[in-house]
Amino acid sequence: EPEVTQTPSHQVTQMGQEVILRCVPISNHLYFYWYRQILGQKVEFLVSFYNNEISEKSEIFDDQFSVERPDGSNFTLKIRSTKLEDSAMYFCASFRVNTEAFFGQGTRLTVV
Amino acid sequence: TQLLEQSPQFLSIQEGENLTVYCNSSSVFSSLQWYRQEPGEGPVLLVTVVTGGEVKKLKRLTFQFGDARKDSSLHITAAQTGDTGLYLCAGERGNNRLAFGKGNQVVVIP
């Protein structure tokens, strides 16, 4: 069964460093999303991407964040200068048109 | 402000018992989804409900969407230890963006 894959599974980074989280969505999906989940808290929407551009972003998704789909298959989330509060599980999801979301296993980002 | 309130936040029951958890909102949703999440993993979709009053069954799990499409419930019959997990509801309001509740943590004790 097709699945969304995310790499790396765990990333430890120094505060102020840039990180890139990678996702390979399901190939025939059209909508791509990043969500994050701080430990013990709810899953929070970050950004949605459709037709090679951002369609919506939350207040969390500030200028430090960016997304790209550089080669038509990978979907990346970049955090330019990480802060301690960016530590969380980051989930990529891809959607079919009828909004059933398939999530990746997540990347655990730890900022030290 | 929480768009989706899930209750109870934590529920512990004996194997074989029944349980019901709830997902409530003051907003109307075009669809509502239930996911189950294991520790350290991504949410896995269980069901999508679309029509007000709709009831869907997935083996021992019964999902109901409220008539006004603002709330939903999940009922588990004869719970098993494998049902242990965090159950998340997520609502979609027509923009393909899902808003999640905090989840119902269910623990089934053998």
Coordinates of all heavy atoms in Angstrom, one line a residue, chain B residues 3-88:
Chain B
L3 N -10.8 24.6 18.7 CA -11.9 24.4 17.7 C -12.6 23.1 18.0 O -13.9 23.1 17.9 CB -11.3 24.4 16.3 CG -12.3 24.5 15.2 CD1 -13.1 25.8 15.2 CD2 -11.5 24.5 13.9
L4 N -11.9 22.1 18.3 CA -12.5 20.8 18.6 C -12.1 20.4 20.0 O -10.9 20.3 20.4 CB -11.9 19.8 17.6 CG -12.5 19.8 16.2 CD1 -11.6 19.1 15.2 CD2 -13.9 19.2 16.2
E5 N -13.1 20.1 20.8 CA -12.9 19.6 22.2 C -13.1 18.1 22.3 O -14.2 17.7 21.9 CB -13.8 20.3 23.2 CG -13.6 21.8 23.2 CD -12.5 22.3 24.1 OE1 -11.9 21.4 24.8 OE2 -12.1 23.4 24.1
Q6 N -12.1 17.4 22.7 CA -12.3 15.9 22.9 C -12.4 15.6 24.3 O -11.6 16.1 25.1 CB -11.2 15.2 22.2 CG -11.2 15.3 20.7 CD -10.2 14.4 20.0 OE1 -9.3 14.8 19.3 NE2 -10.5 13.1 20.1
S7 N -13.3 14.7 24.7 CA -13.5 14.3 26.0 C -13.9 12.8 26.1 O -14.6 12.3 25.2 CB -14.6 15.2 26.7 OG -15.8 15.0 26.1
P8 N -13.5 12.1 27.2 CA -12.5 12.6 28.2 C -11.1 12.6 27.6 O -10.9 11.9 26.6 CB -12.6 11.6 29.3 CG -13.0 10.3 28.5 CD -13.9 10.7 27.4
Q9 N -10.2 13.4 28.1 CA -8.9 13.4 27.6 C -8.2 12.1 27.9 O -7.3 11.7 27.1 CB -8.1 14.5 28.3 CG -8.5 15.9 27.8 CD -7.5 17.0 28.4 OE1 -6.4 16.7 28.6 NE2 -8.1 18.2 28.6
F10 N -8.5 11.4 29.0 CA -7.9 10.2 29.3 C -8.9 9.2 29.9 O -9.8 9.6 30.7 CB -6.8 10.4 30.4 CG -6.0 9.1 30.7 CD1 -5.0 8.7 30.0 CD2 -6.4 8.4 31.9 CE1 -4.3 7.5 30.3 CE2 -5.8 7.2 32.2 CZ -4.7 6.8 31.4
L11 N -8.8 8.0 29.4 CA -9.8 6.9 29.8 C -9.1 5.6 29.9 O -8.4 5.2 29.0 CB -10.9 6.9 28.8 CG -12.1 5.9 29.0 CD1 -12.8 6.3 30.3 CD2 -13.1 5.9 27.8
S12 N -9.3 5.0 31.1 CA -8.7 3.7 31.3 C -9.8 2.7 31.6 O -10.6 2.9 32.5 CB -7.7 3.8 32.5 OG -7.2 2.5 32.8
I13 N -9.8 1.6 30.9 CA -10.9 0.6 31.1 C -10.3 -0.8 31.1 O -9.2 -1.0 30.6 CB -12.0 0.7 30.1 CG1 -11.5 0.4 28.7 CG2 -12.7 2.1 30.1 CD1 -12.6 0.2 27.7
Q14 N -11.1 -1.8 31.6 CA -10.7 -3.1 31.6 C -11.1 -3.7 30.2 O -12.1 -3.3 29.6 CB -11.5 -3.9 32.6 CG -11.1 -3.6 34.1 CD -9.8 -4.2 34.5 OE1 -9.3 -5.1 33.9 NE2 -9.2 -3.6 35.5
E15 N -10.3 -4.7 29.8 CA -10.5 -5.4 28.6 C -11.9 -6.0 28.6 O -12.4 -6.5 29.7 CB -9.5 -6.6 28.4 CG -9.4 -7.1 27.0 CD -8.2 -8.1 26.9 OE1 -7.7 -8.6 27.9 OE2 -7.7 -8.2 25.8
G16 N -12.7 -5.9 27.5 CA -14.0 -6.4 27.4 C -15.1 -5.4 27.7 O -16.3 -5.7 27.4
E17 N -14.7 -4.3 28.3 CA -15.7 -3.3 28.6 C -16.0 -2.4 27.3 O -15.2 -2.5 26.4 CB -15.3 -2.4 29.7 CG -15.2 -3.1 31.1 CD -14.8 -2.1 32.2 OE1 -14.2 -1.1 31.9 OE2 -15.1 -2.5 33.3
N18 N -17.1 -1.7 27.4 CA -17.4 -0.7 26.3 C -17.0 0.7 26.7 O -16.9 1.0 27.9 CB -18.9 -0.7 26.0 CG -19.4 -2.1 25.6 OD1 -18.6 -2.9 25.0 ND2 -20.6 -2.4 25.9
L19 N -16.7 1.5 25.7 CA -16.4 2.9 26.0 C -16.8 3.8 24.8 O -17.0 3.4 23.7 CB -14.8 3.1 26.2 CG -14.0 2.9 24.9 CD1 -13.6 4.2 24.3 CD2 -12.7 2.1 25.3
T20 N -17.1 5.0 25.2 CA -17.4 6.1 24.2 C -16.6 7.3 24.5 O -16.5 7.8 25.7 CB -18.9 6.4 24.3 OG1 -19.7 5.2 24.1 CG2 -19.3 7.4 23.2
V21 N -16.1 7.9 23.5 CA -15.3 9.2 23.6 C -16.0 10.2 22.6 O -16.6 9.8 21.6 CB -13.8 9.0 23.3 CG1 -13.2 8.2 24.4 CG2 -13.6 8.4 21.9
Y22 N -15.8 11.4 22.9 CA -16.5 12.5 22.2 C -15.6 13.5 21.6 O -14.6 13.8 22.1 CB -17.5 13.1 23.2 CG -18.5 12.2 23.8 CD1 -18.2 11.5 25.0 CD2 -19.7 11.8 23.1 CE1 -19.1 10.6 25.5 CE2 -20.6 10.9 23.7 CZ -20.3 10.3 24.9 OH -21.1 9.4 25.4
C23 N -16.1 14.1 20.5 CA -15.5 15.2 19.9 C -16.5 16.3 19.6 O -17.5 16.0 18.8 CB -14.8 14.7 18.5 SG -14.1 15.9 17.5
N24 N -16.4 17.4 20.2 CA -17.4 18.5 20.1 C -16.9 19.8 19.6 O -15.7 20.2 19.9 CB -18.0 18.7 21.5 CG -18.8 17.5 22.0 OD1 -19.6 16.9 21.3 ND2 -18.4 17.0 23.2
S25 N -17.7 20.5 19.0 CA -17.3 21.9 18.4 C -18.5 22.7 18.3 O -19.7 22.3 18.2 CB -16.6 21.7 17.1 OG -16.3 23.0 16.6
S26 N -18.3 24.0 18.3 CA -19.4 25.0 18.0 C -19.4 25.3 16.5 O -20.3 26.0 16.0 CB -19.2 26.3 18.8 OG -17.9 26.8 18.5
S27 N -18.4 24.7 15.7 CA -18.3 25.0 14.3 C -18.9 23.8 13.5 O -18.9 22.7 14.0 CB -16.9 25.2 13.9 OG -16.3 26.2 14.5
V28 N -19.4 24.1 12.3 CA -19.9 23.1 11.4 C -18.8 22.6 10.5 O -18.0 23.5 10.0 CB -21.1 23.6 10.6 CG1 -21.6 22.6 9.6 CG2 -22.2 24.1 11.5
F29 N -18.7 21.3 10.3 CA -17.7 20.8 9.5 C -18.3 20.1 8.2 O -19.3 19.5 8.3 CB -16.8 19.8 10.2 CG -16.1 20.4 11.4 CD1 -16.5 20.3 12.7 CD2 -14.9 21.1 11.1 CE1 -15.8 20.9 13.7 CE2 -14.2 21.7 12.2 CZ -14.7 21.6 13.5
S30 N -17.6 20.2 7.1 CA -18.0 19.5 5.9 C -17.7 18.1 6.0 O -18.3 17.2 5.4 CB -17.4 20.1 4.7 OG -16.0 20.2 4.8
S31 N -16.7 17.7 6.8 CA -16.4 16.3 7.1 C -15.6 16.3 8.4 O -15.0 17.3 8.8 CB -15.6 15.7 5.9 OG -14.2 16.2 5.9
L32 N -15.6 15.1 9.0 CA -14.8 14.9 10.2 C -14.2 13.6 10.1 O -14.8 12.6 9.7 CB -15.8 15.0 11.4 CG -15.1 15.2 12.8 CD1 -15.9 16.1 13.6 CD2 -14.9 13.9 13.4
Q33 N -12.9 13.5 10.6 CA -12.2 12.3 10.5 C -11.7 11.9 11.9 O -11.5 12.7 12.8 CB -10.9 12.5 9.6 CG -11.4 12.9 8.2 CD -10.2 13.3 7.3 OE1 -9.0 12.9 7.6 NE2 -10.5 13.9 6.2
W34 N -11.6 10.6 12.1 CA -11.0 10.0 13.3 C -9.7 9.3 12.9 O -9.7 8.5 11.9 CB -12.0 9.0 13.9 CG -13.1 9.7 14.7 CD1 -14.3 10.0 14.3 CD2 -13.1 10.1 16.1 NE1 -15.1 10.5 15.3 CE2 -14.3 10.6 16.4 CE3 -12.1 10.0 17.1 CZ2 -14.7 11.1 17.7 CZ3 -12.4 10.5 18.4 CH2 -13.7 11.0 18.6
Y35 N -8.7 9.6 13.7 CA -7.4 9.0 13.5 C -7.0 8.3 14.8 O -7.4 8.6 15.9 CB -6.3 10.0 13.2 CG -6.5 10.7 11.9 CD1 -7.4 11.7 11.7 CD2 -5.7 10.3 10.8 CE1 -7.5 12.4 10.5 CE2 -5.8 11.0 9.6 CZ -6.7 12.0 9.5 OH -6.8 12.6 8.3
R36 N -6.1 7.3 14.7 CA -5.5 6.7 15.9 C -4.0 6.9 15.8 O -3.4 6.7 14.7 CB -5.8 5.2 16.0 CG -5.5 4.7 17.4 CD -5.9 3.3 17.6 NE -4.8 2.4 17.4 CZ -4.9 1.1 17.5 NH1 -6.1 0.5 17.7 NH2 -3.8 0.4 17.4
Q37 N -3.4 7.3 16.8 CA -1.9 7.6 16.9 C -1.2 6.8 17.9 O -1.7 6.9 19.1 CB -1.7 9.1 17.1 CG -0.2 9.5 16.9 CD 0.0 11.0 17.1 OE1 -0.8 11.7 17.7 NE2 1.1 11.5 16.6
E38 N -0.2 6.1 17.5 CA 0.6 5.4 18.5 C 1.8 6.3 18.9 O 2.2 7.2 18.1 CB 1.2 4.1 17.9 CG 0.1 3.1 17.4 CD -0.6 2.4 18.5 OE1 -0.1 2.4 19.6 OE2 -1.7 1.8 18.2
P39 N 2.4 6.1 20.0 CA 3.5 7.0 20.5 C 4.6 7.0 19.4 O 5.1 5.9 18.9 CB 4.0 6.3 21.8 CG 2.8 5.6 22.3 CD 2.1 5.1 21.1
G40 N 5.1 8.2 19.1 CA 6.2 8.3 18.1 C 5.9 8.1 16.7 O 6.8 8.0 15.8
E41 N 4.6 7.9 16.4 CA 4.2 7.6 15.0 C 3.2 8.6 14.5 O 2.6 9.4 15.3 CB 3.6 6.2 14.9 CG 4.7 5.2 15.2 CD 4.2 3.8 14.9 OE1 3.1 3.6 14.3 OE2 4.8 2.8 15.3
G42 N 3.0 8.6 13.2 CA 2.0 9.6 12.7 C 0.6 9.0 12.8 O 0.3 7.8 13.0
P43 N -0.4 10.0 12.8 CA -1.8 9.5 12.9 C -2.2 8.6 11.7 O -1.8 8.9 10.6 CB -2.6 10.9 12.9 CG -1.6 11.9 13.2 CD -0.3 11.4 12.7
V44 N -3.0 7.7 12.0 CA -3.5 6.7 10.9 C -5.0 6.9 10.8 O -5.7 6.8 11.8 CB -3.1 5.3 11.3 CG1 -3.7 4.3 10.2 CG2 -1.6 5.1 11.3
L45 N -5.5 7.2 9.6 CA -6.9 7.4 9.4 C -7.7 6.2 9.7 O -7.4 5.1 9.2 CB -7.1 7.9 8.0 CG -8.6 8.2 7.6 CD1 -9.1 9.4 8.3 CD2 -8.7 8.4 6.1
L46 N -8.8 6.3 10.5 CA -9.7 5.3 10.8 C -11.0 5.4 9.9 O -11.4 4.5 9.2 CB -10.1 5.3 12.2 CG -9.0 5.0 13.3 CD1 -9.6 5.2 14.7 CD2 -8.5 3.6 13.1
V47 N -11.5 6.6 9.9 CA -12.8 6.8 9.2 C -13.0 8.3 8.9 O -12.5 9.1 9.6 CB -14.0 6.3 10.1 CG1 -14.3 7.3 11.2 CG2 -15.2 5.9 9.3
T48 N -13.8 8.5 7.9 CA -14.3 9.9 7.5 C -15.8 9.9 7.5 O -16.4 9.0 6.9 CB -13.8 10.3 6.1 OG1 -12.4 10.3 6.1 CG2 -14.3 11.7 5.8
V49 N -16.4 10.8 8.2 CA -17.9 11.0 8.2 C -18.2 12.3 7.5 O -17.5 13.3 7.8 CB -18.5 10.8 9.6 CG1 -18.5 9.4 10.0 CG2 -17.8 11.7 10.6
V50 N -19.2 12.3 6.7 CA -19.5 13.4 5.9 C -21.0 13.9 6.1 O -21.2 15.1 6.2 CB -19.3 13.1 4.4 CG1 -19.7 14.3 3.5 CG2 -17.9 12.7 4.2
T51 N -21.9 13.0 6.2 CA -23.3 13.4 6.3 C -23.8 13.5 7.7 O -23.5 12.6 8.6 CB -24.2 12.3 5.6 OG1 -23.6 12.1 4.3 CG2 -25.6 12.7 5.5
G52 N -24.6 14.5 8.1 CA -25.1 14.6 9.4 C -25.9 13.4 9.8 O -26.7 13.0 9.0
G53 N -25.7 12.9 11.0 CA -26.4 11.7 11.5 C -25.7 10.4 11.0 O -26.2 9.3 11.4
E54 N -24.7 10.5 10.2 CA -24.1 9.3 9.6 C -23.5 8.4 10.7 O -22.9 8.9 11.7 CB -23.0 9.7 8.6 CG -22.3 8.6 7.9 CD -21.3 9.1 6.9 OE1 -21.1 10.3 6.7 OE2 -20.7 8.2 6.2
V55 N -23.6 7.1 10.5 CA -23.0 6.1 11.4 C -22.1 5.2 10.6 O -22.6 4.7 9.6 CB -24.0 5.3 12.2 CG1 -23.3 4.2 13.1 CG2 -24.9 6.2 13.1
K56 N -20.9 5.0 11.0 CA -20.0 4.1 10.3 C -19.4 3.1 11.3 O -19.1 3.5 12.4 CB -18.9 4.9 9.6 CG -19.3 5.5 8.3 CD -18.0 5.9 7.5 CE -18.4 6.3 6.1 NZ -17.3 6.8 5.3
K57 N -19.3 1.9 10.8 CA -18.7 0.8 11.7 C -17.5 0.3 11.1 O -17.4 0.1 9.9 CB -19.7 -0.3 11.9 CG -21.0 0.1 12.7 CD -21.7 -1.0 13.3 CE -22.8 -0.6 14.2 NZ -23.4 -1.6 15.0
L58 N -16.5 0.1 12.0 CA -15.2 -0.5 11.6 C -14.9 -1.6 12.7 O -14.4 -1.3 13.7 CB -14.1 0.6 11.6 CG -12.8 0.3 11.1 CD1 -12.8 0.1 9.6 CD2 -11.8 1.4 11.3
K59 N -15.4 -2.8 12.4 CA -15.3 -3.9 13.3 C -16.0 -3.5 14.6 O -17.2 -3.3 14.6 CB -13.8 -4.3 13.5 CG -13.2 -4.8 12.3 CD -11.7 -5.3 12.5 CE -11.1 -5.7 11.2 NZ -9.7 -6.1 11.4
R60 N -15.3 -3.4 15.7 CA -15.9 -3.1 17.0 C -16.0 -1.6 17.2 O -16.4 -1.2 18.3 CB -15.1 -3.8 18.1 CG -15.1 -5.3 18.1 CD -14.2 -5.9 19.1 NE -12.8 -5.6 18.8 CZ -12.1 -4.6 19.3 NH1 -12.6 -3.9 20.3 NH2 -10.8 -4.4 19.0
L61 N -15.6 -0.8 16.3 CA -15.6 0.7 16.5 C -16.8 1.2 15.7 O -17.0 0.9 14.6 CB -14.3 1.3 15.9 CG -13.1 1.3 16.8 CD1 -12.7 0.0 17.3 CD2 -12.0 2.1 16.1
T62 N -17.6 2.1 16.4 CA -18.7 2.7 15.8 C -18.6 4.2 15.9 O -18.4 4.8 17.0 CB -20.0 2.3 16.5 OG1 -20.2 0.9 16.4 CG2 -21.3 3.0 15.8
F63 N -18.6 4.9 14.7 CA -18.4 6.3 14.7 C -19.8 7.0 14.3 O -20.5 6.5 13.4 CB -17.4 6.7 13.6 CG -16.1 6.0 13.8 CD1 -15.8 4.7 13.3 CD2 -15.0 6.7 14.5 CE1 -14.6 4.1 13.5 CE2 -13.8 6.0 14.7 CZ -13.6 4.8 14.2
Q64 N -20.1 8.1 15.0 CA -21.3 8.8 14.6 C -21.0 10.2 14.4 O -20.3 10.9 15.2 CB -22.4 8.6 15.7 CG -23.7 9.3 15.4 CD -24.9 8.7 16.1 OE1 -24.7 7.8 17.1 NE2 -26.1 9.0 15.8
F65 N -21.6 10.8 13.4 CA -21.5 12.2 13.1 C -22.8 12.9 13.6 O -23.9 12.4 13.2 CB -21.3 12.5 11.6 CG -20.6 13.8 11.2 CD1 -20.1 14.6 12.2 CD2 -20.6 14.2 9.9 CE1 -19.5 15.8 11.8 CE2 -20.0 15.4 9.5 CZ -19.5 16.2 10.5
G66 N -22.7 14.0 14.3 CA -23.9 14.6 14.8 C -24.8 15.2 13.7 O -24.3 15.5 12.6
D67 N -26.1 15.3 13.9 CA -27.0 15.7 12.9 C -26.6 17.1 12.3 O -26.8 17.4 11.2 CB -28.4 15.8 13.5 CG -29.0 14.5 13.8 OD1 -28.5 13.5 13.2 OD2 -30.0 14.4 14.6
A68 N -26.1 18.0 13.2 CA -25.7 19.3 12.8 C -24.3 19.4 12.3 O -23.8 20.5 12.0 CB -25.9 20.3 14.0
R69 N -23.6 18.3 12.2 CA -22.2 18.2 11.7 C -21.3 19.0 12.6 O -20.3 19.6 12.0 CB -22.1 18.5 10.2 CG -23.1 17.7 9.3 CD -22.5 17.6 7.9 NE -22.0 18.7 7.4 CZ -22.7 19.7 6.7 NH1 -24.0 19.6 6.6 NH2 -22.0 20.7 6.2
K70 N -21.6 19.1 13.9 CA -20.6 19.8 14.8 C -19.9 18.9 15.7 O -19.0 19.3 16.4 CB -21.4 20.8 15.6 CG -22.1 22.0 14.8 CD -22.8 22.9 15.8 CE -23.4 24.0 15.0 NZ -24.1 25.0 16.0
D71 N -20.4 17.7 15.8 CA -19.8 16.8 16.8 C -19.8 15.4 16.4 O -20.5 15.0 15.4 CB -20.5 16.9 18.2 CG -22.0 16.8 18.0 OD1 -22.5 15.7 17.7 OD2 -22.7 17.9 18.2
S72 N -19.0 14.5 17.1 CA -18.9 13.1 16.7 C -18.6 12.3 17.9 O -18.1 12.8 18.9 CB -17.8 13.0 15.6 OG -17.7 11.6 15.2
S73 N -18.9 11.0 17.8 CA -18.6 10.1 18.9 C -18.0 8.9 18.4 O -18.2 8.5 17.2 CB -19.8 9.8 19.8 OG -20.7 9.1 19.0
L74 N -17.1 8.2 19.2 CA -16.5 7.0 18.8 C -16.9 6.0 20.0 O -16.5 6.3 21.1 CB -15.0 7.1 18.7 CG -14.1 5.9 18.9 CD1 -14.5 4.8 17.8 CD2 -12.6 6.2 18.7
H75 N -17.5 4.9 19.6 CA -17.9 3.9 20.6 C -17.1 2.6 20.3 O -17.1 2.2 19.1 CB -19.4 3.6 20.5 CG -19.8 2.6 21.5 ND1 -20.1 2.9 22.9 CD2 -20.1 1.3 21.4 CE1 -20.4 1.8 23.5 NE2 -20.5 0.8 22.6
I76 N -16.4 2.1 21.3 CA -15.7 0.8 21.1 C -16.4 -0.3 22.0 O -16.6 -0.1 23.2 CB -14.2 0.9 21.5 CG1 -13.5 2.0 20.7 CG2 -13.5 -0.4 21.4 CD1 -12.1 2.2 21.1
T77 N -16.8 -1.3 21.3 CA -17.5 -2.5 22.0 C -16.4 -3.5 22.3 O -15.6 -3.9 21.5 CB -18.5 -3.1 21.0 OG1 -19.4 -2.0 20.6 CG2 -19.3 -4.2 21.7
A78 N -16.5 -4.0 23.6 CA -15.7 -5.1 24.0 C -14.2 -4.8 23.7 O -13.5 -5.5 23.0 CB -16.1 -6.4 23.4
A79 N -13.7 -3.7 24.4 CA -12.4 -3.2 24.1 C -11.3 -4.3 24.3 O -11.4 -5.2 25.2 CB -12.1 -2.0 25.0
Q80 N -10.3 -4.2 23.4 CA -9.2 -5.1 23.5 C -7.9 -4.3 23.8 O -7.9 -3.1 23.5 CB -9.0 -5.9 22.2 CG -10.2 -6.8 21.9 CD -10.1 -7.5 20.6 OE1 -9.1 -7.3 19.8 NE2 -11.1 -8.3 20.2
T81 N -6.9 -5.0 24.3 CA -5.6 -4.2 24.6 C -5.1 -3.5 23.4 O -4.4 -2.5 23.4 CB -4.6 -5.1 25.2 OG1 -4.3 -6.3 24.3 CG2 -5.0 -5.7 26.6
G82 N -5.3 -4.1 22.2 CA -4.9 -3.5 20.9 C -5.6 -2.2 20.6 O -5.1 -1.5 19.7
D83 N -6.6 -1.9 21.3 CA -7.3 -0.6 21.1 C -6.7 0.5 21.8 O -7.0 1.7 21.6 CB -8.8 -0.7 21.6 CG -9.6 -1.7 20.8 OD1 -9.3 -1.9 19.6 OD2 -10.5 -2.4 21.4
T84 N -5.7 0.2 22.6 CA -5.0 1.3 23.4 C -4.3 2.2 22.4 O -3.7 1.8 21.4 CB -3.9 0.7 24.3 OG1 -4.5 0.0 25.3 CG2 -3.0 1.8 24.9
G85 N -4.5 3.5 22.6 CA -3.9 4.5 21.7 C -4.5 5.9 21.9 O -5.4 6.1 22.7
L86 N -4.0 6.9 21.2 CA -4.6 8.2 21.2 C -5.5 8.4 20.0 O -5.1 8.2 18.9 CB -3.4 9.2 21.1 CG -3.9 10.7 21.1 CD1 -4.4 11.1 22.5 CD2 -2.7 11.6 20.8
Y87 N -6.8 8.6 20.3 CA -7.8 8.8 19.2 C -8.0 10.3 19.0 O -8.3 11.1 19.8 CB -9.1 8.1 19.6 CG -8.9 6.6 19.6 CD1 -8.5 6.0 20.7 CD2 -9.2 5.9 18.5 CE1 -8.3 4.6 20.7 CE2 -9.1 4.5 18.5 CZ -8.6 3.9 19.6 OH -8.4 2.5 19.6
L88 N -7.7 10.7 17.7 CA -7.8 12.1 17.4 C -8.9 12.3 16.4 O -9.1 11.6 15.5 CB -6.5 12.5 16.6 CG -5.2 12.5 17.4 CD1 -4.0 12.5 16.5 CD2 -5.1 13.6 18.4

